[in-house]
Amino acid sequence: MQQMIALDLDNTLFNSAKEISPRNERTLKRVHQAGVKVVLCTGRPINAIRNYLDQLELNQAEDYTINFNGGLVTNNQTGEFLFQKGLVKSDLDVLYEFVMAHQLPLDVLDFDKVYEIKTEQKSLYGATVKGIDFTNDDYQDLPAGDKLYSKAVIAVDPAQMAQVKALARDDTQIGQHFTVVQSQPHILEFIPLGLNKAVGLQHLLEHFEMTFADLTAFGDADNDKEMLAAAGDGVVMANGLPAVKAIADHETLSNDEDGVAVYIENKFVTLLQ
C-alpha cells in the first residue's frame, strides 16, 4: 500500500534554529528511499525552500510540494503546477482598505515575488522569507485583470498579533473574501476562501490514486488543522497549539526533540528495518 507523509515546516519539521535536524533528515531520506511520498507543506513559494528539498533529496520525477497553504501543488523537479488557486486584485481591495483603516502593513504575493505595499507601518515579512524577490509598491500599481495572487500577509510584532487577529475576525468583509490563518507568531495570512493545505493534498493524493487514509500529516499551528483532521493519521507536535492538539489523532515530541523522526521511526519500523 502506498503511503504519503505531509510535513509542515516552522515549529514542526524545523527546530527553533529553522533547521532540519540530522535525525529528521536521515529518517525522512530513509522512508523516501523506501517508497513513501514525502511532501513539504508550507505557505512559502518553492524557491524559498529549495535548499530544504535538496537537503532531503526530494528531487525525483514524482516529488511534489504543497505551497502557499494549499494554493499550489508544484513538481519539485520540473516546477510545473499540478494544481493552482489564487486571488485577483479585486479580491484584495477589501484587505487594502482594512490595513489602511488600521494603519497596518501589507505584503501581497503572486507565485514568484512579494509586493511590499506602501502603508503606514513597515512590514516584518521581508526579514522572515528568503529566496524570493521583494519590491516596494503602491497598491494602485498592482497588476489587475486575470493576474493571480497566491495570498496576502500582515506581518507585525507578535505582541500586536492578538489585536490584529481580533480586528480581522470582526470585519465581515474580510470573512466574506478570505480564509485567515496565523502561520507564525508574527504572520497572519489571507488566502482564497475555503483554501487550506488539505485542498492541495487532496489533488496530490488523487494524482497518485491515493486517499487521505494513506496520509500521515505533521503540524503545529492553525494553518495545519484541516490537513491533520483530514489525514488518516494527524500528528501534532508537543509544542503545537491547544486547538490543534484537540483535533489531532496523535501527539509526538516537540520540534526541538526530533518529534517527526521519533514518530516515523515508530510507525514505519518494519519499512525502515
Side-chain angles (χ1 to χ4, degrees), residues 8-33:
D8 171 57
L9 299 185
D10 292 294
N11 300 314
T12 297
L13 179 59
F14 293 170
N15 59 24
S16 295
K18 302 288 186 182
E19 297 170 341
I20 301 175
S21 72
R23 184 175 179 181
N24 279 342
E25 176 184 344
R26 183 170 59 251
T27 298
L28 288 170
K29 283 180 177 178
R30 288 177 66 196
V31 292
H32 184 241
Q33 290 164 1

Side-chain angles (χ1 to χ4, degrees), residues 116-168:
E116 186 173 333
I117 305 302
K118 297 175 183 177
T119 66
E120 294 295 322
Q121 183 175 339
K122 176 71 175 176
S123 174
L124 300 182
Y125 197 59
T128 305
V129 178
K130 310 299 180 185
I132 186 170
D133 293 332
F134 278 73
T135 59
N136 192 236
D137 301 272
D138 289 312
Y139 180 77
Q140 291 74 16
D141 294 334
L142 286 187
D146 294 333
K147 164 74 175 180
L148 279 183
Y149 298 94
S150 60
K151 64 178 180 180
V153 171
I154 294 177
V156 296
D157 188 287
Q160 192 181 355
M161 182 54 69
Q163 178 186 12
V164 174
K165 284 180 69 174
L167 289 170

Side-chain angles (χ1 to χ4, degrees), residues 31-257:
V31 292
H32 184 241
Q33 290 164 1
V36 176
K37 303 295 183 186
V38 176
V39 182
L40 303 189
C41 300
T42 177
R44 297 175 173 89
I46 195 166
N47 287 341
I49 62 165
R50 182 62 67 183
N51 57 320
Y52 301 113
L53 296 174
D54 292 341
Q55 180 181 352
L56 296 174
E57 299 178 356
L58 299 178
N59 44 29
Q60 298 180 14
E62 288 297 303
D63 286 332
Y64 287 83
T65 295
I66 306 297
N67 302 107
F68 301 110
N69 287 313
L72 197 63
V73 181
T74 312
N75 183 285
N76 297 350
Q77 190 177 93
T78 67
E80 295 178 351
F81 302 155
L82 180 67
F83 168 74
Q84 181 182 29
K85 183 175 181 178
L87 302 157
V88 295
K89 187 179 180 183
S90 58
D91 295 320
L92 297 167
D93 289 345
V94 295
L95 183 56
Y96 179 67
E97 293 173 3
F98 172 81
V99 299
M100 293 304 290
H102 298 289
Q103 298 184 335
L104 295 168
L106 179 65
D107 295 273
V108 176
L109 289 78
D110 60 15
F111 296 95
D112 298 302
K113 62 181 288 189
V114 181
Y115 302 85
E116 186 173 333
I117 305 302
K118 297 175 183 177
T119 66
E120 294 295 322
Q121 183 175 339
K122 176 71 175 176
S123 174
L124 300 182
Y125 197 59
T128 305
V129 178
K130 310 299 180 185
I132 186 170
D133 293 332
F134 278 73
T135 59
N136 192 236
D137 301 272
D138 289 312
Y139 180 77
Q140 291 74 16
D141 294 334
L142 286 187
D146 294 333
K147 164 74 175 180
L148 279 183
Y149 298 94
S150 60
K151 64 178 180 180
V153 171
I154 294 177
V156 296
D157 188 287
Q160 192 181 355
M161 182 54 69
Q163 178 186 12
V164 174
K165 284 180 69 174
L167 289 170
R169 184 181 60 243
D170 294 340
D171 190 298
T172 56
Q173 287 296 309
I174 295 293
Q176 291 173 7
H177 286 82
F178 303 97
T179 293
V180 183
V181 293
Q182 183 178 354
S183 58
Q184 296 191 48
H186 66 298
I187 295 177
L188 197 64
E189 302 195 9
F190 299 79
I191 60 179
L193 195 64
L195 187 66
N196 55 67
K197 292 179 181 180
V199 173
L201 283 166
Q202 180 174 3
H203 286 271
L204 186 57
L205 288 163
E206 290 174 353
H207 172 74
F208 288 119
E209 298 183 346
M210 300 167 70
T211 71
F212 279 110
D214 304 311
L215 178 68
T216 302
F218 293 84
D220 72 290
D222 284 343
N223 62 335
D224 303 317
K225 289 167 67 175
E226 291 85 0
M227 76 169 180
L228 296 193
D233 190 6
V235 185
V236 66
M237 313 305 292
N239 53 283
L241 297 176
V244 184
K245 291 184 177 184
I247 56 91
D249 298 299
H250 296 101
E251 182 175 328
T252 188
L253 300 179
S254 77
N255 64 315
D256 286 323
E257 299 171 296

